[in-house]
């Protein structure tokens, strides 16, 4: 793992090629003042092509959000220029306020303040269902 | 989250809890006087954000027979919802006045939203086409009372099985019991959705799909009728070809077992001929009565007053 350019921070590796900007936006990396590098279409032995994001600051990352977007991402924590911890993600049991229920008959379609929440109904098929109306998120 | 006990879906109740509720309902039926003051001083709020007169009356008469009182509204326009109040706020307000709530709402998941903030037990009295657990409880109690037990029978479910959530919910509930065969009777285009088919397959039960009631009548121990609406058919030709297959009359009953139990969630339109009503196999009006008793049992249980067998 190449952690060049990161002294104390995080390297998000094995991002599905093309997904890095979505993650950049959702994690609000534009709000950071530290250096952030987005590498697109890097060559990966495992997946052919991948994206990488390097963040030179130990920020709090919502691993559930990241796991929902792409459970294959690995989170590498870097301390003093060295890889200190590698974390693998998985699909979260519950995702809160990331996706919205699209069922027009759902209560969330008429009450704006309700927090959109989904539970993992089938891990293999990656099916999430609205906790209110049970509609599958597509 | 919240630990107030609510019943939103039939699967919120375990098989043991279902059995206890039905035992309690049986006990109420055997000796209603014993229960006539059990809920004295308690109030049930019926919050009907959309009208459903028969469901509301069933809940209200259930509470009255327990000696309790009822308050509430029967349409959204007479309620605070018409002024834009959220379900959560309405529920928290009503929780200050009532000991238990039965709520019906046109939007799916509204009772779940309510259950997250409530201070008193909530019973879902129907949320759109989503869940309607007290209908399923009514069906289960009727089956148990008519057959003696839930299990060891063949049930035919007839009508619009694609949109008929009453049927889906009953199937889910019955799948937890042993030795039941399922015969799904519907027009080809109104067959059960894939997710119900998946559940049947996963449970490993015996089931089949047919288009005509006549073909399976002699096999059935229970026939659960629902309505097929004309506008659900894709074309006029199919409608004309099949419409009579979804109407139960005395002629079709000729090949049926003598102890068949005919159920229907009501209201019916024309799918069961009125000539069937006087046949002892017609259970649907007893089913209505069972609906009141199982709601009494549910109200008692959720209020923590469900211990049976003691004297007044
Ligand atoms: Zn929903």
């Amino acid at each position: 793992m190449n952690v060049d350019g990161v002294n104390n921070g995080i390297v998000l590796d094995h991002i599905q090629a093309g997904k890095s900007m979505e993650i950049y936006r959702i994690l609000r990396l534009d709000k950071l003042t530290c250096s952030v590098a987005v590498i697109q279409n890097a060559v990966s032995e495992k997946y052919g092509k991948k994206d990488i994001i390097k963040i030179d600051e130990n920020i709090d990352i919502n691993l559930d959000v990241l796991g929902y977007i792409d459970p294959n991402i690995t989170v590498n924590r870097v301390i003093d220029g060295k890889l200190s911890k590698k974390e693998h993600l998985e699909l979260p049991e519950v995702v809160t306020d990331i996706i919205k229920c699209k069922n027009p008959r759902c209560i969330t379609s008429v009450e704006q303040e309700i927090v959109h929440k989904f539970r993992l109904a089938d891990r293999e098929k990656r099916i999430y269902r609205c906790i209110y109306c049970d509609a599958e998120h597509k | 989250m919240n630990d107030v006990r609510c019943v939103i879906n039939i699967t919120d109740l375990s098989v043991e809890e279902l059995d206890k509720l039905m035992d309690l309902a049986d006990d109420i039926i055997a000796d209603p006087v014993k229960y006539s003051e059990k809920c004295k001083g308690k109030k049930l709020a019926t919050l009907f954000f959309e009208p459903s007169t028969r469901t509301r009356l069933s809940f209200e008469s259930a509470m009255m027979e327990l000696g309790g009182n009822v308050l509430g509204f029967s349409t959204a326009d007479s309620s605070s919802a018409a002024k834009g109040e959220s379900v959560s706020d309405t529920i928290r307000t009503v929780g200050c006045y009532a000991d238990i709530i039965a709520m019906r709402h046109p939007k799916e998941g509204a009772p779940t939203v309510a259950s997250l903030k409530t201070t008193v037990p909530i019973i879902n009295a129907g949320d759109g086409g989503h869940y309607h657990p007290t209908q399923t409880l009514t069906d289960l109690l009727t089956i148990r009372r008519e057959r003696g037990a839930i299990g060891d029978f063949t049930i035919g479910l007839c009508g619009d099985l694609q949109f008929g959530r009453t049927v889906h919910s009953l199937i889910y509930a019955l799948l937890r019991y042993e030795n039941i065969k399922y015969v799904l009777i519907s027009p080809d285009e109104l067959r059960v959705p894939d997710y119900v088919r998946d559940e049947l397959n996963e449970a490993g039960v015996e089931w089949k799909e047919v288009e005509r009631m006549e073909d399976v009548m002699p096999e059935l121990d229970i026939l659960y009728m629902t309505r097929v609406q004309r506008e659900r058919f894709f074309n006029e030709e199919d409608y004309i070809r099949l419409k009579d297959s979804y109407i139960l009359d005395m002629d079709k009953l000729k090949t049926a077992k003598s102890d068949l139990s005919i159920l229907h969630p009501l209201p019916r339109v024309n799918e069961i001929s009125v000539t069937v009503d006087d046949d002892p196999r017609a259970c649907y009006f007893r089913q209505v009565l069972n609906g009141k008793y199982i709601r009494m049992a549910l109200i008692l249980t959720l209020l923590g007053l469900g211990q049976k067998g003691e004297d007044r």
Side-chain angles (χ1 to χ4, degrees):
Chain A
M1 171 73 243
N2 179 354
V3 298
D4 286 356
V6 179
N7 285 320
N8 287 292
I10 294 163
V11 178
L12 303 177
D13 196 11
H14 300 295
I15 300 168
Q16 189 190 327
K19 283 245 182 168
S20 54
M21 287 318 288
E22 185 186 341
I23 289 165
Y24 186 89
R25 269 193 307 273
I26 288 169
L27 296 182
R28 298 178 154 265
L29 300 182
D30 57 321
K31 301 278 184 268
L32 298 177
T33 51
C34 67
S35 71
V36 177
V38 177
I39 300 155
Q40 293 187 308
N41 299 320
V43 178
S44 156
E45 291 139 35
K46 266 204 269 182
Y47 303 105
K49 276 180 179 175
K50 64 177 181 180
D51 288 0
I52 302 167
I53 298 177
K54 296 183 175 186
I55 306 155
D56 198 9
E57 190 179 313
N58 263 309
I59 58 164
D60 271 335
I61 285 182
N62 185 336
L63 297 180
D64 282 352
V65 175
L66 217 50
Y68 173 75
I69 299 167
D70 183 353
N72 295 315
I73 294 173
T74 47
V75 180
N76 302 282
R77 308 264 178 191
V78 180
I79 295 172
D80 294 333
K82 286 192 186 116
L83 177 64
S84 82
K85 201 166 116 197
K86 202 181 190 99
E87 289 170 77
H88 292 276
L89 299 178
E90 54 179 28
L91 285 177
E93 286 295 329
V94 177
V95 293
T96 305
D97 247 353
I98 306 171
I99 43 176
K100 289 205 173 299
C101 182
K102 292 174 192 154
N103 175 5
R105 299 178 307 276
C106 180
I107 183 68
T108 57
S109 70
V110 288
E111 288 199 12
Q112 270 68 40
E113 316 76 43
I114 297 172
V115 178
H116 286 243
K117 236 178 175 177
F118 287 75
R119 64 186 156 76
L120 184 58
D122 189 325
R123 188 170 287 276
E124 243 163 70
K125 294 182 188 153
R126 283 196 71 164
I127 293 172
Y128 280 89
R129 289 187 183 280
C130 172
I131 65 158
Y132 309 109
C133 73
D134 294 291
E136 184 181 336
H137 184 74
K138 286 187 178 148
Chain B
M1 281 292 174
N2 197 325
D3 53 14
V4 178
R5 187 68 207 271
C6 297
V7 175
I8 308 301
N9 182 2
I10 190 69
T11 52
D12 292 345
L13 296 161
S14 68
V15 172
E16 293 72 35
E17 287 172 316
L18 290 176
D19 287 344
K20 269 194 186 160
L21 279 172
M22 288 188 273
D23 289 346
L24 184 55
D26 282 342
D27 202 56
I28 295 169
I29 293 166
D31 188 0
V33 179
K34 195 166 82 189
Y35 293 88
S36 63
E37 292 192 356
K38 278 264 189 185
C39 285
K40 201 173 173 189
K42 300 282 184 191
K43 282 169 281 181
L44 165 76
T46 48
L47 309 186
F48 277 54
F49 294 86
E50 73 173 354
S52 172
T53 306
R54 54 181 65 232
T55 303
R56 186 171 54 83
L57 293 183
S58 181
F59 272 106
E60 294 185 350
S61 75
M63 191 55 166
M64 287 173 186
E65 289 202 21
L66 293 167
N69 293 302
V70 295
L71 65 164
F73 51 82
S74 55
T75 61
D77 33 276
S78 62
S79 80
S80 49
K83 299 186 196 112
E85 188 179 51
S86 71
V87 166
S88 286
D89 283 4
T90 305
I91 286 292
R92 276 203 265 188
T93 306
V94 173
C96 301
Y97 306 135
D99 301 284
I100 184 165
I101 292 170
M103 100 174 237
R104 189 179 183 101
H105 199 285
K107 288 291 177 184
E108 299 174 9
T112 304
V113 171
S115 73
L116 298 176
K117 290 286 161 63
T118 190
T119 52
V120 301
I122 295 175
I123 302 169
N124 180 7
D127 56 334
H130 192 215
Y131 296 138
H132 191 2
T134 55
Q135 179 63 54
T136 310
L137 282 172
T138 302
D139 299 341
L140 291 175
L141 178 64
T142 304
I143 291 171
R144 200 175 88 158
R145 289 185 64 81
E146 297 293 330
R147 313 299 309 178
I150 301 175
D152 302 308
F153 54 70
T154 299
I155 183 168
L157 299 134
C158 177
D160 177 351
L161 304 187
Q162 184 179 10
F163 300 98
R165 307 277 181 110
T166 314
V167 170
H168 304 167
S169 179
L170 180 57
I171 291 174
Y172 288 147
L174 290 177
L175 282 176
R176 298 189 285 176
Y177 292 87
E178 300 289 318
N179 204 13
I180 299 172
K181 291 180 199 165
Y182 302 81
V183 182
L184 310 180
I185 309 157
S186 73
D188 212 28
E189 54 265 63
L190 295 177
R191 284 155 51 158
V192 290
D194 287 343
Y195 55 84
V196 176
R197 194 165 296 144
D198 288 348
E199 292 284 335
L200 286 161
N201 287 332
E202 236 166 75
V205 297
E206 211 177 300
W207 68 282
K208 64 177 174 183
E209 292 177 303
V210 297
E211 247 195 335
R212 289 153 39 95
M213 183 186 330
E214 301 91 306
D215 300 341
V216 292
M217 193 61 95
E219 303 168 30
L220 305 178
D221 299 304
I222 299 170
L223 174 59
Y224 194 95
M225 290 292 299
T226 62
R227 186 152 65 105
V228 178
Q229 285 160 286
R230 185 184 190 132
E231 56 272 22
R232 297 277 199 219
F233 280 90
F234 289 162
N235 58 60
E236 192 65 16
E237 225 171 277
D238 278 350
Y239 175 73
I240 292 165
R241 179 172 64 89
L242 290 166
K243 68 176 169 48
D244 291 337
S245 291
Y246 304 100
I247 294 174
L248 182 65
D249 54 24
M250 287 313 287
D251 198 43
K252 286 203 192 71
L253 279 175
K254 274 182 193 152
T255 62
K257 288 186 182 173
S258 60
D259 67 343
L260 174 74
S261 307
I262 305 163
L263 277 70
H264 189 299
L266 300 186
R268 81 172 143 189
V269 180
N270 64 344
E271 59 277 20
I272 300 180
S273 157
V274 290
T275 58
V276 177
D277 294 359
D278 294 327
D279 190 288
R281 290 170 288 189
C283 304
Y284 30 93
F285 289 110
R286 292 198 287 280
Q287 196 176 351
V288 175
L289 199 53
N290 289 334
K292 181 184 71 182
Y293 291 122
I294 200 73
R295 287 180 177 98
M296 289 170 76
L298 187 59
I299 290 168
L300 282 171
T301 302
L302 291 177
L303 287 175
L305 303 168
Q307 309 78 6
K308 70 176 175 92
E310 68 217 76
D311 293 320
R312 273 171 281 160

